[in-house]
Amino acid sequence: MKSVCFYFKIHQPFRLKRYRFFDIGNDHYYYDDFANDEIVSRLAQSSYIPMAETLLQMINDSNREFKCSISISGTAIEQLQLYVPEFIDLLKKLADTGCVEFLSGTYSHSLASLEDPEEFIRQVKEHDDLLKRLFGVKPKVFSNTELIYDDDIAAVIASMGFKTCLTEGAKHVLGWKSPNYVYQAVSAPNLKLLLTNDKLAEDISRNFNNTAWDEYPLTADKYVDWLASLPENEQVVNLYMSMETFGSFLPAGTGIFDFMKALPRFGKEKGVSFTTPSDVVAKLKPVDMISVPFPISDIDEARDVSAWKGNELQNEALGKLYAVAERVNLCQDRRLKQDWEYLQSSDHFYYMSTKNMADGASHAAFSPYDSPFAAFTNYMNVLADFLVRVEEQYPENIDNEELNSLLLTIRNQAGEIEELNKEVKTLRNNILNADDSTNAPKEEVLEIVDKKDIEAPVKVRKKPGPKPGSKRTKKA
C-alpha cells in the first residue's frame, strides 16, 4: 500500500513598519500592526479556517483513517492568537484527533541553522515548548525553515534527539534516485530523511487551476490513480505545501476543498493511505544514505539558499544581526529578546533578494517594499536601533569572554545571597521561638542577624579609557 504524507506549512512574520533613519534612537517599536492584522485575518478567513475545517471533516468522514502533518512557526502562532484565536482552537481540535502530527522547527522561521548552531538549538526548543503548552504534543519529526538542510545541519538535528527530518528532494542531490523512499543522513546515520516530491505537490499547488495545463482539470480520482501507479517499491510520497495554497492561491471557487475531501475515499479504493511521517518511518527502513555537502532548500529553481544569502545586502544584514546573538541571549530584557526573535524571520532577507530583477523575480510578489534596496534600507534602520539597545545592555568594548565571566559572577552572587537569606530566615524563626530565658533581648539579636541579609550587586562597567598623558594618547 502506498503511503502519502501531506505537510501543510503555516508561517507569518511580524512585518516591519516604515522605519526612517531619524527614528533610530527615538522609536523602539518596529512593527506594522495594521498590516499584520489585515494579512493574518484575511488569510485565516479565506484559507486557514476553511482548510482546518476541511481536514477535520476528512478525518471524521474516513473514520480517522486520513492523517496528515502541520508545520507552524512560533511567530505565526503569536499573530493568530492575537488576531484569529478561533483558528488556534481549530488546531487544538486537530491535535486532539490524534490524526495530525505537528512538526518541529525554528520559532521565527529563521536562518539560524546557517548562521549560529547554538541559536538554532535554542529556537527549536522554544518552538517545541510552545507546541507542548498549546496542543499537548511533543514533535518527533523536524522540518527546518523552507526545508533548509545539509550534512552539518543534519548532525545538529540529530544531536537534539530527532530521528526523522523532512527536506527537499532536490534533483541535483538525488540524481537518478527517487524521492519516494526513506533515506538516512550520511553525517548522522540514525537520522532518517523524508524527501519531498515536488512534481506531485506542484500538480496541486500550481496546476490545479491552470487551464493551459495538458492534464486540466485535475480530479481526485485522477490524482489518486497517479499515486497508485507509481512503481510498487516506491512506498512513500511526501507532499509539502503552504496552507495558503488552499483558499488563497487556489480560491474556494476552484473546487480545491471538494478535491481534498474526495481524496480519502478514492485512496481507500486504490490502496493509497494518507498517513503521518512518524507512521511511515516506523514501518519503512532507509534504502540508502544521502550526502548534502552544500545547503539546499525548497525555494527557487536552484533549490539552494541564495534566496536569503545571494547578495551583499543580505549577507551584510545577517552578519550584523547574528554578531550580537550571544549578548542578546545573555540579557534579561524581555522586549529586546522579543525583537531579536522577530528580526530573525527569513522573510526580511527574502525581500532583499536581487535574483532575476530584470524580468521580475517571484520574490517581489511577496514583498511589501518597492525594491530589494528599500527592504535592505528599512531593515538596517531597524537593526541599527536594535544594536544601540544591545550596546546599552552590554558595551562593545567588553569582549564576550569577559562578559560571560562577569555574568557568571553575578549569578553566583545571586545564589549566595539567596542562601544567606534562607539562613537569616531560619535564624529569625529560631530566635522568635526561643525560650524567654535568652540572655539578650530578642530585638537586639534580630538586629544583629539582619545584618547578614546582604546584597552585593555587580555592575557591568565600561573599561576606563587611557589616562591623559599616557603613551596611548601621545601622537606618533
Side-chain angles (χ1 to χ4, degrees), residues 411-425:
R411 287 193 291 269
N412 288 340
Q413 287 193 352
E416 291 175 7
I417 291 170
E418 185 179 356
E419 290 300 319
L420 285 170
N421 283 334
K422 288 180 181 178
E423 184 180 345
V424 168
K425 185 177 180 180

Side-chain angles (χ1 to χ4, degrees), residues 4-8 146-147 168-171 179-180 196-211 213-218 223 226-227 237-242 245-246 249-250 256 259-260 297-303 362:
V4 178
C5 295
F6 270 109
Y7 303 83
F8 302 106
E146 302 300 342
L147 304 185
E168 172 67 21
K171 292 180 181 178
N180 303 330
T196 59
N197 187 313
D198 290 342
K199 182 187 180 303
L200 285 169
E202 290 178 358
D203 284 341
I204 297 176
S205 62
R206 293 192 178 184
N207 293 322
F208 183 82
N209 199 35
N210 179 12
T211 56
W213 185 37
D214 56 4
E215 294 289 350
Y216 182 86
L218 180 63
Y223 192 74
W226 293 348
L227 294 169
V237 179
N238 299 295
L239 304 174
Y240 180 80
M241 288 173 275
S242 170
T245 300
F246 306 88
F249 302 149
L250 296 174
I256 187 61
F259 169 84
M260 291 298 295
S297 76
D298 71 332
I299 296 293
D300 296 341
E301 187 175 351
R303 295 296 194 259
S362 60

Side-chain angles (χ1 to χ4, degrees), residues 284-344:
L284 297 179
K285 295 182 178 180
V287 297
D288 198 1
M289 286 189 172
I290 293 290
S291 176
V292 186
F294 304 104
I296 59 174
S297 76
D298 71 332
I299 296 293
D300 296 341
E301 187 175 351
R303 295 296 194 259
D304 57 14
V305 295
S306 59
W308 309 278
K309 291 173 66 69
N311 62 42
E312 292 183 7
L313 304 179
Q314 295 166 313
N315 290 317
E316 171 73 9
L318 282 165
K320 292 284 188 183
L321 176 67
Y322 282 98
V324 296
E326 188 172 0
R327 290 167 180 263
V328 175
N329 286 321
L330 286 170
C331 81
Q332 300 299 317
D333 188 320
R334 185 186 63 82
R335 280 288 304 277
L336 197 68
K337 283 180 173 289
Q338 184 182 63
D339 292 335
W340 165 247
E341 203 82 71
Y342 298 167
L343 290 177
Q344 288 188 69

Side-chain angles (χ1 to χ4, degrees), residues 287-456:
V287 297
D288 198 1
M289 286 189 172
I290 293 290
S291 176
V292 186
F294 304 104
I296 59 174
S297 76
D298 71 332
I299 296 293
D300 296 341
E301 187 175 351
R303 295 296 194 259
D304 57 14
V305 295
S306 59
W308 309 278
K309 291 173 66 69
N311 62 42
E312 292 183 7
L313 304 179
Q314 295 166 313
N315 290 317
E316 171 73 9
L318 282 165
K320 292 284 188 183
L321 176 67
Y322 282 98
V324 296
E326 188 172 0
R327 290 167 180 263
V328 175
N329 286 321
L330 286 170
C331 81
Q332 300 299 317
D333 188 320
R334 185 186 63 82
R335 280 288 304 277
L336 197 68
K337 283 180 173 289
Q338 184 182 63
D339 292 335
W340 165 247
E341 203 82 71
Y342 298 167
L343 290 177
Q344 288 188 69
S345 291
S346 60
D347 310 70
H348 304 308
F349 309 98
Y350 185 83
Y351 302 148
M352 300 177 198
S353 176
T354 53
K355 296 177 69 174
N356 302 322
M357 285 185 62
D359 52 359
S362 60
H363 295 232
F366 299 97
S367 175
Y369 301 97
D370 296 332
S371 71
F373 308 103
F376 173 76
T377 300
N378 199 70
Y379 184 85
M380 293 306 286
N381 285 342
V382 169
L383 186 59
D385 184 81
F386 176 77
L387 294 178
V388 168
R389 292 163 58 203
V390 175
E391 164 74 6
E392 289 174 351
Q393 291 276 336
Y394 304 123
E396 286 184 2
N397 62 347
I398 302 178
D399 60 37
N400 286 340
E401 186 176 346
E402 182 180 0
L403 182 59
N404 277 323
S405 177
L406 287 168
L407 292 173
L408 179 61
T409 301
I410 292 172
R411 287 193 291 269
N412 288 340
Q413 287 193 352
E416 291 175 7
I417 291 170
E418 185 179 356
E419 290 300 319
L420 285 170
N421 283 334
K422 288 180 181 178
E423 184 180 345
V424 168
K425 185 177 180 180
T426 301
L427 290 171
R428 288 174 64 91
N429 289 335
N430 290 341
I431 292 169
L432 291 172
N433 295 328
D435 190 80
D436 289 339
S437 61
T438 303
N439 294 331
K442 291 181 181 179
E443 290 77 7
E444 293 181 13
V445 177
L446 288 174
E447 184 178 351
I448 294 171
V449 171
D450 282 343
K451 291 180 180 179
K452 287 182 134 183
D453 191 4
I454 60 173
E455 292 186 2

Side-chain angles (χ1 to χ4, degrees), residues 64-85:
R64 303 202 172 190
E65 290 183 1
F66 175 83
K67 298 179 180 181
C68 63
S69 59
I70 290 176
S71 171
I72 182 169
S73 68
T75 53
I77 289 175
E78 284 192 41
Q79 292 186 70
L80 289 163
Q81 287 177 313
L82 282 172
Y83 307 125
V84 199

